[in-house]
Amino acid sequence: MATGSLTIDLDALVRNWQALDKASGSGVETGAVVKADGYGLGAAQVARALARAGARRFFVAVAEEGAALREVLGRAPEIYVFGGHMPGDADMLGDLDLIPMLNSVDQLTRHFEALAGTSFGIQLDTGMNRLGMEPGEWAAVAEVALTAGPKLVMSHLACADTPDHAQNRQQLEMFHAMTDGIDVPRSLSATGGILLGEDYHFDLTRPGIGLYGGLPFEDATPVAHLSLPVIQTREVEQGESVGYGSAWVAEEPGVIATVSGGYADGLIRAMGNTGHLFFDGVPCAIVGRVSMDLITVDISHLTAAPKALDILGPDQSVDDLADAAGTVGYEILTSLGGRYKRLYTGGAG
């Protein structure tokens, strides 16, 4: 028996993309970020649904992800690689028409030497200090790079999830300073940037987490629904402990359900004694530590023993669960393991 049943609602995914596409505004193209296996939900299924909905530019982290996506989508869509042109990537990039976002002078040199005349993009660092060329580097190579005809020039916002953060405006101004006047499509915004407003949209937006039901897109429709089967129930007496380290002790007699799922399945250990599962909308507290394969849940208040309990769905979003675990929705989604029975609904062409 699978650890649990993970249902991915592709219609909800498409609705989220359509809403973010509308928010991006007229004349702005909306791409889709499907890195990390579609944020843990299956890049092949996610990308096919988004392509049917109208997405034509997709973004992945590394060339290997791009190669897998090209096999799924065929030759028509553009596939951009955030990590750029790494050593050993030339054949894959060239053979599969992948577009590396060149992040440094070294990558620019490598690409021009190995794949002269093939597509590329440029990533600029406007203040995040993670990937991209800094202003001085860009000034030194801009003329050569622009003459070669990049497909896209982009940067990435560090604080877009916090709308009033001063760095948003600082990065916007830096992006203008580095790119105004160029005749190349520009992109600055992922999900958070889209929600900051039209000043941040430029020619292309690239939503990621919002597609999959996560913050900061508060109006997102939940995409992932995860139900965990109950393996066993047992009665506990006042004073009895549950799980490793006796981390929870019953204050009164009760009933404990042990469900199949744990931190090996991406259900983070830190939500022991803080998180909840749900049965028909009724919250049931996680008691004791989350272990590798099992979670213990207090169901004393239920009138009947359930066959399964829900941990993701309408009653609890990925961000609700992340709050209980002291992390972010991105980690919850991308950590979902391979033991789940996966069911895809909707998304039909």
Side-chain angles (χ1 to χ4, degrees), residues 124-128 133 155-156 170-171 174-175 178 188:
L124 302 177
D125 176 24
T126 54
M128 191 172 189
M133 298 186 203
S155 189
H156 195 64
Q170 291 166 3
Q171 285 194 256
M174 179 62 72
F175 192 57
M178 295 175 75
L188 182 61

Side-chain angles (χ1 to χ4, degrees), residues 6-121:
L6 176 59
T7 302
I8 295 101
D9 184 345
L10 296 176
D11 284 343
L13 174 93
V14 167
R15 286 196 296 273
N16 291 337
W17 182 83
Q18 290 170 336
L20 290 167
D21 179 44
K22 183 178 180 180
S24 295
S26 176
V28 178
E29 185 176 354
T30 306
V33 180
V34 295
K35 62 182 180 176
D37 193 28
Y39 284 53
L41 300 184
Q45 294 86 351
V46 162
R48 277 196 290 259
L50 292 172
R52 285 192 286 264
R56 293 294 175 264
R57 299 201 201 191
F58 293 85
F59 294 83
V60 295
V62 295
E64 289 79 5
E65 290 182 337
L69 196 61
R70 179 63 75 204
E71 185 175 351
V72 169
L73 295 179
R75 290 284 176 168
E78 293 183 348
I79 300 173
Y80 293 80
V81 180
F82 285 136
H85 188 150
M86 295 293 289
D89 282 353
D91 287 346
M92 196 178 302
L93 294 172
D95 292 347
L96 298 174
D97 298 327
L98 305 179
I99 304 172
M101 299 304 301
L102 305 179
N103 294 292
S104 65
V105 175
D106 286 345
Q107 286 199 351
L108 187 75
T109 302
R110 179 181 300 124
H111 189 76
F112 282 13
E113 289 179 349
L115 293 172
T118 63
S119 296
F120 68 97

